[in-house]
Amino acid sequence: MRVRFRCPECGSTAQVCLGDSESWQCRHCDYLLTLPQQGDKGLPACVICGNQELYKKKNFPHWLGLTILALACFAFLWAHGKYDPTTAWAILLVSAAIDGLFYLWVGDAIVCYRCAAVYRGFTPSRLHMPFELTVAERYRQERLRREKLQSDQKTGG
């Protein structure tokens, strides 16, 4: 059970294995974070910020998936340009089959809407729904308001 997150104080990227230690200290700013013990209940809330709204996504790099899709499209266009529609459609069908196998093979990751901490090694439960844009937008607006308030306090305005 690994979690990758940004330090709440300085924003540096960190990774910790839950269960190995009871606390985490940032190497850059010495911020100390106490990690709660995880029981058999899975992951009901984010251990970094305490938020209970988490979503699940495939634990697969999006850039790699888009690269495979782009290569398949270019190969399709190339084969179709050579007036070989059988090969062109075969390329699309094979790429779709590879995509389907990746979907079945790759597990899920759990992500926090508020702090974007990514949890790997947890089994998503019924509490963890797929990504919802409306919930993500609510947290984005919250983050923007908080950043504006902090910048206003620094400038004295």
Side-chain angles (χ1 to χ4, degrees), residues 51-101:
N51 185 24
Q52 293 184 347
E53 289 190 287
L54 308 170
Y55 67 92
K56 66 179 177 179
K57 69 173 191 168
K58 282 297 179 183
N59 190 14
F60 189 75
H62 291 208
W63 66 267
L64 182 57
L66 289 174
T67 302
I68 293 170
L69 175 66
L71 290 175
C73 289
F74 285 127
F76 170 82
L77 290 174
W78 176 79
H80 211 287
K82 296 284 185 181
Y83 299 105
D84 190 1
T86 305
T87 304
W89 284 104
I91 289 170
L92 284 184
L93 292 175
V94 167
S95 67
I98 290 171
D99 183 48
L101 289 174

Side-chain angles (χ1 to χ4, degrees), residues 81-141:
K82 296 284 185 181
Y83 299 105
D84 190 1
T86 305
T87 304
W89 284 104
I91 289 170
L92 284 184
L93 292 175
V94 167
S95 67
I98 290 171
D99 183 48
L101 289 174
F102 272 133
Y103 184 82
L104 295 173
W105 178 56
V106 173
D108 289 330
I110 302 170
V111 183
C112 176
Y113 279 108
R114 179 174 287 145
C115 68
V118 179
Y119 297 87
R120 291 179 173 89
F122 281 97
T123 303
S125 68
R126 288 182 286 150
L127 299 173
H128 307 118
M129 302 301 291
F131 180 80
E132 286 189 40
L133 186 59
T134 54
V135 177
E137 182 62 20
R138 185 176 70 221
Y139 283 103
R140 188 182 77 84
Q141 292 293 329

